[in-house]
Amino acid sequence: MTLWVRSTGRALRLWGRGGEPAWACRHRVAGGSRPTPFSAGASGAFGSGGGGEEEKPRLRDVAELIRAQAGQGVVVMAGAGISTASGIPDFRSPGSGFYSALRHWDVPYPEAIFELSFFLANPRPFFAWAKNMHPGNFRPNVIHYFLRLLHDRGLLRRLYTQNIDGLERASGIPGSKLVEAHGSFASATCTSCGKASPEQDLWATVMADGVPRCAVCAGLVKPDVVFFGEMLPERFFLHLVDFPAAELLLVLGTSLKVEPFASLSEAVRSSVPRVLMNREAVESWRPRSRDVVQLGDLVDSVERLVELLGWTEEMRELVQRETAKLGRPGR
Ligand code: OAD
Ligand code: ZN
């Protein structure tokens, strides 16, 4: 799928890829959990399985590719799979994903919760979900801190994320290194008059199970999370320079089902190695000769990768420091 820049003067819009509702999927992701040596994140449950002798050579390849980087050439694309270890469900994992849970909610189909027309008619399901996404509820996990280490070591060119949980920022990666492609809760706007609304007012109302209204016109206030059919933030256009300049692409924890984000995975030069790390195979991934695909649990993979890179001690210290700074979730 290549139709992701319609024209630079006009909007980049967000649309779903593939139409099958999550609850129509038959497969279930195997469960189980184990503690992490870095003990970061909200839940302490750091995913499952995924390990296996046959994966090790691939992780060694990934470590080699990272070691070979001389400057800020690494571009990262991230999705909900990097935050499940922090206790935030992804969207499409059958059973555990948010879209599966939505079967019991008052929504006609899962993506409707992120559609403006549905939101304007019935904003309650969105705000019920938003309430769980309060920034105080979650902490970055070892995957976010691995990305932070890439930055600390001067290797990160940019991190493109579809996540609106703010955990990349919370891990200490500066805003200049981030493209929050699907927006965030950090700001909110009136859907009628366009007036910006303070974040703290929004959260106060949402946490009290209310629907935020504009102080000027009483219109519905919506956090600046990108809904289907809406424009992506201007910073998304940085992809026009970042992807052609990338020396290594890491794609982590995403089903690549939402455009135009998904198509970025094909925007690096054909000579550039791409690493896909995800629990399961990604349907739309079109293999290239230099790809490395590491399937399985991301926490397992990242921890082993950190070990292979010899960054374990640095990681332990970083996690300890940052965890002390942020405190426990819920504070
Ligand atoms: P999805 O839920 O579609 O995909 C998450 C992927 O991460 C799945 O393939 C999971 O198998 C994988 N995954 C989950 N936990 C993992 C773990 N611990 N280790 C390894 N892999 C794991 O989420 P996204 O691709 O991010 O849009 O979804 C893209 C967009 O769709 C979201 O930004 C959202 C949604 O509609 C908006 O909110 C606008
Ligand atoms: Zn207004």
Side-chain angles (χ1 to χ4, degrees):
M1 185 130 185
T2 52
L3 189 71
W4 42 277
V5 179
R6 290 187 167 167
S7 83
T8 33
R10 290 174 54 198
L12 271 183
R13 288 170 190 279
L14 186 70
W15 70 95
R17 195 177 206 178
E20 192 185 23
W23 55 66
C25 297
R26 263 167 254 110
H27 312 290
R28 182 170 283 273
V29 177
S33 64
R34 61 172 187 71
T36 167
F38 303 114
S39 52
S43 63
F46 278 84
S48 64
E53 289 304 311
E54 80 283 2
E55 287 172 350
K56 283 183 183 156
R58 266 173 255 153
L59 279 172
R60 263 197 282 275
D61 292 343
V62 181
E64 276 315 306
L65 288 169
I66 292 174
R67 261 198 219 102
Q69 296 302 307
Q72 301 187 352
V74 183
V75 172
V76 180
M77 294 173 62
I82 73 163
S83 290
T84 52
S86 292
I88 304 174
D90 67 10
F91 293 91
R92 295 179 180 81
S93 282
S96 62
F98 175 59
Y99 285 167
S100 291
L102 272 177
R103 195 189 338 199
H104 308 292
W105 291 35
D106 183 20
V107 292
Y109 50 93
E111 274 93 355
I113 196 164
F114 299 118
E115 282 175 9
L116 205 55
S117 53
F118 179 76
F119 175 79
L120 293 175
N122 181 10
R124 291 214 172 261
F126 173 79
F127 285 117
W129 170 75
K131 187 176 174 182
N132 290 322
M133 297 301 294
H134 187 280
N137 287 353
F138 306 105
R139 293 292 177 265
N141 65 61
V142 70
I143 308 161
H144 300 100
Y145 287 124
F146 165 67
L147 301 176
R148 160 80 189 266
L149 276 188
L150 285 179
H151 165 64
D152 287 353
R153 289 185 158 251
L155 301 176
L156 184 68
R157 179 176 177 99
R158 207 89 62 190
L159 163 53
Y160 285 73
T161 183
Q162 297 166 96
N163 300 344
I164 44 76
D165 53 37
L167 292 180
E168 298 88 357
R169 248 173 227 273
S171 76
I173 299 170
S176 61
K177 289 283 169 182
L178 291 175
V179 172
E180 292 165 321
H182 294 175
S184 79
F185 280 101
S187 57
T189 308
C190 171
T191 53
S192 293
C193 74
K195 187 183 173 347
S197 196
E199 188 187 1
Q200 58 274 33
D201 291 3
L202 175 95
W203 283 120
T205 310
V206 171
M207 296 317 280
D209 294 321
V211 168
R213 296 273 169 192
C214 174
V216 175
C217 76
L220 259 177
V221 170
K222 180 179 111 13
D224 295 335
V225 167
V226 179
F227 276 24
F228 290 104
E230 285 192 313
M231 292 197 302
L232 273 72
E234 245 170 58
R235 278 183 70 73
F236 187 73
F237 284 99
L238 282 172
H239 74 79
L240 293 170
V241 286
D242 283 340
F243 281 71
E247 298 293 342
L248 173 65
L249 177 67
L250 305 183
V251 182
L252 308 181
T254 173
S255 63
L256 292 180
K257 286 227 161 97
V258 170
E259 295 287 1
F261 193 93
S263 291
L264 291 182
S265 62
E266 295 181 4
V268 291
R269 286 167 289 133
S270 57
S271 59
V272 168
R274 305 183 306 167
V275 174
L276 170 67
M277 292 167 86
N278 201 51
R279 179 158 5 239
E280 64 209 357
V282 170
E283 215 178 287
S284 62
W285 185 261
R286 289 198 282 200
R288 292 183 183 176
S289 60
R290 298 206 63 196
D291 287 354
V292 181
V293 177
Q294 167 70 28
L295 300 184
D297 185 79
L298 257 172
V299 170
D300 285 341
S301 300
V302 163
E303 284 180 356
R304 286 205 298 276
L305 183 56
V306 165
E307 219 176 290
L308 288 166
L309 285 163
W311 296 359
T312 305
E313 204 39 50
E314 198 178 336
M315 175 67 108
R316 201 185 300 279
E317 282 167 16
L318 173 66
V319 170
Q320 252 170 25
R321 205 169 56 238
E322 292 298 315
T323 308
K325 215 189 281 173
L326 292 172
R328 298 205 159 277
R331 283 188 196 165

